[in-house]
């Protein structure tokens, strides 16, 4: 019987195809479901019991599927390492390891790189045994983490596919189980995973070459803006809300730095302009209830009045986005002043949006003349507008014409020709 199954490869494909079917249906189960769990356990148990029946074709299919998934996942995060950094900071808060905050970006870059190179090696059969070990370690870590996320809702959304695909915590956990179902045959047949066409030295050189290329790709996206923008604030999008939009309720969760207690507030009804309170509480997450508005937040003046309409009703508007205005360097201020002066001389409007307390803005107003139009918004949303601090967005009646990172602020000639 074993010999017949091995020749036909029936089991190799049966459990793998069943796992793929589960992957399709997992999108319909945002919450825990026994049906979904049992359906996923079938290919997992099958792969554990019958891993010896997987023939070469079946193992090749598993290797390519796992590799492709890892490459896709790492690409969606690699185009936006800052987004992964922000998600890591959420995890550090959830697990009370904030001492790692200063390493968040470095850890993000290396974690994404590890995920990519494992997927790349599996896909192209380079050092396949080592790549299988790497995939196993990563999946054990991801599956354990997402299980506790799903169970205790430690972080609202894990960001496994960056901002490209949104999944609930239970969907993410189920997705990781499905990957394990396809990975298990590779684990148990690890000795048969060899590449006889390319020498070990050649495979190693190719691997390190693509490690270097992918790390360069990540660094480029950190210094500039994501080469593929999966966020809402993408160039060309009209951000104006629909006519008579249903108002959305945005709830923000903050954590007390000393006690660890959390409080949820309906935005903007939280003491965002109280510098003492802001120094004692840190932002954790947000959720939206209802609403059909394009924006998930509002921009407010110092008194708390809503001026979001300026983004939709103003022609040729420069929006300086600086969630951490207190971290700007003199070089950053000089670049912003250059754009500010161009705006005044050429009939452009402008405004600043930040999440720092108004007291600090008052200090800047005494030092710089360009802070006469400053508004305040939620830190998380500002970071999703443009992945730079500061960043620059050019809008026209709500349409995003272009946006730039701080090292790519446009020249006057570029702006005139825009």
């Amino acid at each position: 019987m074993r010999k017949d199954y091995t020749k036909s490869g029936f089991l190799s494909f049966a459990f793998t195809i069943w796992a793929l079917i589960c992957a399709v249906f997992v999108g319909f189960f945002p919450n825990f479901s026994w049906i979904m769990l049992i359906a996923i356990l079938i290919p997992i148990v099958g792969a554990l019991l019958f891993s010896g029946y997987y023939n070469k074709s079946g193992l090749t299919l598993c290797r390519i599927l796992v590799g492709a998934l890892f490459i896709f996942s790492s690409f969606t995060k690699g185009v936006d390492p800052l987004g992964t950094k922000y998600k890591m900071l959420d995890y550090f808060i959830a697990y009370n390891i904030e001492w790692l905050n200063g390493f968040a970006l470095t850890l993000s870059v290396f974690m994404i790189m590890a995920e990519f190179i494992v997927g790349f090696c599996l896909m192209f059969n380079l050092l396949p045994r080592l790549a299988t070990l790497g995939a196993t370690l990563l999946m054990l870590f991801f599956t354990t983490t997402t299980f506790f996320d799903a169970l205790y809702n430690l972080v609202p959304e894990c960001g496994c596919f960056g901002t490209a695909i949104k999944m609930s915590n239970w969907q993410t956990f189920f997705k990781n189980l499905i990957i394990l179902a396809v990975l298990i045959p590779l684990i148990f047949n690890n000795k048969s995973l060899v590449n006889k066409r390319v020498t070990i030295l050649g495979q190693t050189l190719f691997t390190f070459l693509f490690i270097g290329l992918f790390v360069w790709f990540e660094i480029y996206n950190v210094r500039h803006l994501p080469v593929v923008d999966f966020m809402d604030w993408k160039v060309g999008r009209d951000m104006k809300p629909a006519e008579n939009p249903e108002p959305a309720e945005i709830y923000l969760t903050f954590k007390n730095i000393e006690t660890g207690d959390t409080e949820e507030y309906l935005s903007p009804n939280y003491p965002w302009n109280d510098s003492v309170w802001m120094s004692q509480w840190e932002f954790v997450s947000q959720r939206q209830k209802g609403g059909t508005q394009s924006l998930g937040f509002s921009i407010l003046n110092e008194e708390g009045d809503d001026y979001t309409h300026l983004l939709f009703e103003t022609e040729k508007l420069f929006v300086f986005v600086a969630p951490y205005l207190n971290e700007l360097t003199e070089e950053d201020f000089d670049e912003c002043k250059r754009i500010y002066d161009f705006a005044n001389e050429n009939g452009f409007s402008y405004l600043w949006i930040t999440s720092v307390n108004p007291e600090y803005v008052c200090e800047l107003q005494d030092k710089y003349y360009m802070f006469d139009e400053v508004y305040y918004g939620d830190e998380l949303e500002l970071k999703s507008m443009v992945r730079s601090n500061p960043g620059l967005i050019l809008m026209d009646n709500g349409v995003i014409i272009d946006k730039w990172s701080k090292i790519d602020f446009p020249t006057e000639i570029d702006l005139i020709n825009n």
Side-chain angles (χ1 to χ4, degrees):
M1 180 69 70
R2 177 184 175 92
K3 184 177 180 181
D4 292 339
Y5 275 127
T6 304
K7 284 185 176 180
S8 66
F10 173 76
L11 289 179
S12 299
F13 293 96
F15 292 125
T16 303
I17 292 173
W18 184 267
L20 293 177
I21 294 172
C22 290
V24 173
F25 282 94
V26 76
F28 298 98
F29 295 89
N31 301 312
F32 177 78
S33 167
W34 281 108
I35 295 175
M36 193 72 248
L37 180 60
I38 293 172
I40 296 173
L41 287 177
I42 291 174
I44 290 178
V45 173
L48 287 170
L49 295 179
F50 301 101
S51 60
Y53 289 86
Y54 280 70
N55 61 10
K56 183 177 180 181
S57 297
L59 292 175
T60 299
L61 177 62
C62 291
R63 176 172 56 76
I64 291 175
L65 286 174
V66 175
L69 190 282
F70 269 70
I71 289 174
F72 175 74
S73 175
S74 61
F75 175 80
T76 58
K77 294 193 285 285
V79 296
D80 183 19
L82 284 176
T84 303
K85 170 194 171 182
Y86 299 146
K87 188 59 62 177
M88 272 197 173
L89 292 174
D90 292 341
Y91 276 103
F92 294 163
I93 293 172
Y95 288 97
N96 293 313
I97 50 175
E98 289 95 333
W99 57 271
L100 281 173
N101 285 358
F103 304 97
L105 182 57
T106 302
L107 290 173
S108 299
V109 168
F110 278 96
M111 184 196 74
I112 299 168
M113 178 272 293
E115 191 174 354
F116 168 79
I117 206 61
V118 163
F120 179 82
C121 287
L122 285 174
M123 172 71 82
F124 296 100
N125 202 24
L126 301 173
L127 305 175
R129 297 178 64 180
L130 187 60
T132 299
L133 174 61
T136 303
L137 295 175
L138 287 172
M139 288 311 305
L140 288 175
F141 173 74
F142 291 152
T143 305
T144 303
T145 302
T146 54
F147 172 72
F148 285 107
D149 275 354
L151 202 60
Y152 300 109
N153 199 33
L154 299 174
V155 175
E157 199 272 323
C158 80
C160 293
F161 294 110
T163 54
I165 299 177
K166 299 290 186 180
M167 303 179 73
S168 71
N169 285 334
W170 278 114
Q171 286 174 321
T172 303
F173 174 66
F174 289 149
K175 178 263 297 179
N176 287 335
L177 290 182
I178 293 169
I179 298 173
L180 283 174
V182 184
L183 178 61
I184 285 171
L186 300 179
I187 298 173
F188 283 88
N189 292 279
N190 187 263
K191 291 184 178 180
S192 65
L193 300 177
V194 293
N195 185 341
K196 297 180 180 179
R197 296 182 178 181
V198 184
T199 65
I200 295 295
L201 177 60
Q203 295 178 57
T204 303
L205 291 176
F206 271 115
T207 299
F208 277 98
L209 172 63
F210 279 90
I211 286 176
L213 289 174
F214 193 79
V215 170
W216 173 85
F217 174 71
E218 291 186 87
I219 293 173
Y220 179 89
N221 288 305
V222 170
R223 289 176 50 79
H224 304 276
L225 296 182
V227 294
V228 180
D229 194 347
F230 293 113
M231 293 173 286
D232 292 336
W233 289 77
K234 51 176 60 72
V235 174
R237 183 173 181 183
D238 189 345
M239 302 301 296
K240 288 191 294 293
E243 292 186 10
N244 303 316
E246 176 189 342
E249 294 181 342
I250 309 298
Y251 292 88
L252 307 176
T253 300
F254 288 85
K255 177 182 177 181
N256 188 285
I257 297 174
E258 294 184 0
T259 66
D261 296 334
T262 60
E263 293 286 345
E264 186 176 65
Y265 298 87
L266 175 61
S267 181
N269 301 322
Y270 67 98
W272 54 270
N273 57 351
D274 184 338
S275 59
V276 176
W277 187 89
M278 290 295 289
S279 67
Q280 297 172 343
W281 293 77
E282 58 187 0
F283 175 81
V284 176
S285 63
Q286 76 167 26
R287 65 182 178 91
Q288 177 174 325
K289 182 178 180 181
T292 57
Q293 297 177 347
S294 296
L295 299 184
F297 78 112
S298 299
I299 62 171
L300 314 174
N301 67 0
E302 189 173 347
E303 287 73 36
D305 300 318
D306 193 333
Y307 279 81
T308 313
H309 63 91
L310 293 177
L311 298 175
F312 312 134
E313 301 172 358
T314 308
E315 296 181 356
K316 298 192 301 183
L317 173 67
F318 282 119
V319 182
F320 294 95
V321 182
Y324 307 116
L325 191 58
N326 54 312
E327 295 181 3
L328 268 62
T329 65
E330 283 300 323
E331 184 179 352
D332 294 334
F333 285 122
D334 289 340
E335 280 294 284
C336 291
K337 283 188 290 185
R338 182 174 62 79
I339 301 298
Y340 174 92
D341 292 337
F342 173 88
N344 278 314
E345 294 168 3
N346 293 273
F348 284 72
S349 300
Y350 56 86
L351 59 84
W352 285 81
I353 312 178
T354 185
S355 60
V356 302
N357 65 72
E359 293 180 2
Y360 181 76
V361 174
C362 289
E363 295 177 12
L364 291 179
Q365 288 172 335
D366 293 336
K367 186 176 181 180
Y368 301 102
Y369 56 81
M370 58 180 170
F371 290 97
D372 49 340
E373 292 286 340
V374 181
Y375 300 94
Y376 302 88
D378 296 330
E379 174 187 338
L380 185 65
E381 289 298 332
L382 299 189
K383 290 188 291 190
S384 71
M385 291 176 71
V386 56
R387 293 295 201 211
S388 182
N389 183 58
L392 180 66
I393 301 176
L394 176 59
M395 303 183 69
D396 190 80
N397 289 319
V399 178
I400 300 175
I401 306 302
D402 210 339
K403 61 181 186 179
W404 303 269
S405 69
K406 65 179 183 180
I407 68 170
D408 294 320
F409 275 14
T411 64
E412 288 74 3
I413 295 177
D414 291 334
L415 291 171
I416 292 173
N417 295 330
N418 202 317

